[in-house]
Amino acid sequence: MEDGIARIGVSLPKNLLEEFDAVILNRGYSSRSEAIRDAIRNYILEYKWMEREEGEVVGVVNVIYNHNVKGVNDSIINLQHEFHDIITTTLHIHLNSEMCLEMILVRGDMKEIKRLVDRISSTKGVINVKLITAMRE
Ligand code: NI
């Protein structure tokens, strides 16, 4: 049994909601509420997983950023030099006239990798950061 149902009101940019609706339509969700519940569950799971993880990890940090934002390129390069101990390789893909995808291959202690992810996430101009771990040693 569900432990009661709470209703919430959420304000979203219109285009974000339109994108969300398009995705859930494609994925066959019968209602927006159901899709939002799943999204929140996944968000919590991902957070808990990130919190718990420690030890040696190999993975990739995918960073999407707008290179027109002043200073963002320098910030991302400086951070990578700061964390050179855990960074193996970096791939840079120019997605379109303004957006870049930087794929940072990492190998090292999860705590350090998380620190790198946090620092990149809080950099101005960065749109999205996602860590995918390939294996644990
Ligand atoms: Ni680029």
Side-chain angles (χ1 to χ4, degrees), residues 68-105:
N68 289 328
V69 174
K70 202 165 176 282
V72 69
N73 290 290
D74 280 350
S75 300
I76 286 175
I77 287 170
N78 288 340
L79 271 174
Q80 291 185 53
H81 281 277
E82 193 180 323
F83 286 85
H84 68 90
D85 281 352
I86 56 164
I87 295 173
T88 309
T89 309
T90 302
L91 299 176
H92 185 100
I93 299 160
H94 310 299
L95 294 176
N96 56 39
S97 61
E98 57 180 15
M99 303 302 282
C100 299
L101 167 62
E102 192 117 321
M103 302 177 80
I104 305 168
L105 278 67

Side-chain angles (χ1 to χ4, degrees), residues 54-72:
E54 57 181 19
E56 285 290 301
V57 165
V58 176
V60 56
V61 182
N62 287 327
V63 184
I64 292 173
Y65 69 94
N66 182 339
H67 82 107
N68 289 328
V69 174
K70 202 165 176 282
V72 69

Side-chain angles (χ1 to χ4, degrees), residues 14-25:
K14 217 175 164 194
N15 58 352
L16 182 62
L17 185 60
E18 282 166 6
E19 262 187 87
F20 187 72
D21 282 345
V23 169
I24 66 178
L25 188 70

